[in-house]
Amino acid sequence: MSPPSRDDSPFLTGSRMGSMPLVEENLPIRRLEISDHKKGFVELLSQLTVCPPLSESEFQARFSEIANLGDSHCICVVEDPTTERIIGTGSVFIEKKFIRGGSKVGHVEDVVVAKSARGLHLGQRIVKHLVDHAKAAGCYKVVLACAPELREFYEKCGFVEKNVQMTVYF
């Protein structure tokens, strides 16, 4: 089943009739906040991969760990202002290297847009936000891994295919 188009998204019809449509100006990208646990952040990640629920205390502990990393690990979100639910997210972490004169590389991870909000170009906006964050942090490149069916999406975001990624799971 294909994701809904901009015209048939439930965010633009039905119960939202007469309310403000979801457009770029209404959907700012911001950093993850501790209150986003109650706004469906973890549930959204389960649309990307295996992501069992986290208790409030588990979420707060992980949030604190990541927050302590400062700008070296940026998780951004998009919140639907009407439902107060998180409808998009992505992260970038900055790896400090010895190569290239002590340079840095940005690693984009966990980009996902709620199925009901696809077709609004939120994914492209989130990726651009993450790439801009990495560039501002002094990274000489940004890398990511994706499924073959997402290659075209990331090419639209300015990425080019290079090398092969290998993974070991535990």
Side-chain angles (χ1 to χ4, degrees), residues 6-125:
R6 184 178 176 103
D7 296 330
D8 64 7
S9 169
F11 283 105
L12 300 175
T13 60
S15 64
R16 294 186 66 95
M17 288 282 194
S19 65
M20 191 173 358
L22 289 184
V23 293
E24 188 169 333
E25 301 82 50
N26 301 339
L27 299 169
I29 298 172
R30 62 168 174 80
R31 297 236 11 189
L32 180 71
E33 298 171 355
I34 196 83
S35 62
D36 291 333
H37 181 256
K38 294 178 181 164
K39 295 178 180 182
F41 173 73
V42 175
E43 291 88 345
L44 175 61
L45 289 172
S46 70
Q47 291 185 31
L48 177 67
T49 190
V50 176
C51 190
L54 295 175
S55 70
E56 186 74 27
S57 62
E58 290 170 324
F59 182 84
Q60 289 176 356
R62 181 51 46 109
F63 180 91
S64 293
E65 287 178 53
I66 293 170
N68 286 336
L69 299 173
D71 284 339
S72 292
H73 193 145
C74 174
I75 301 175
C76 67
V77 297
V78 177
E79 179 181 350
D80 179 337
T82 303
T83 64
E84 297 184 341
R85 301 292 291 173
I86 302 303
I87 58 172
T89 187
S91 68
V92 63
F93 68 91
I94 310 302
E95 176 188 7
K96 295 177 180 177
K97 310 284 279 185
F98 285 101
I99 63 171
R100 295 185 180 248
S103 62
K104 300 175 190 174
V105 174
H107 295 264
V108 170
E109 292 279 340
D110 303 337
V111 176
V112 62
V113 173
K115 290 176 185 172
S116 58
R118 293 179 188 164
L120 299 172
H121 303 287
L122 294 178
Q124 288 176 317
R125 288 183 52 227

Side-chain angles (χ1 to χ4, degrees), residues 114-168:
K115 290 176 185 172
S116 58
R118 293 179 188 164
L120 299 172
H121 303 287
L122 294 178
Q124 288 176 317
R125 288 183 52 227
I126 289 168
V127 171
K128 181 182 181 327
H129 180 87
L130 298 171
V131 169
D132 289 349
H133 178 85
K135 186 176 181 181
C139 293
Y140 80 94
K141 71 177 179 179
V142 176
V143 297
L144 60 79
C146 69
E149 61 269 18
L150 293 174
R151 181 182 294 124
E152 186 178 331
F153 167 77
Y154 286 108
E155 287 172 348
K156 289 179 184 175
C157 295
F159 286 81
V160 294
E161 187 173 347
K162 184 173 179 178
N163 300 325
V164 174
Q165 177 193 339
M166 306 295 286
T167 304
V168 174

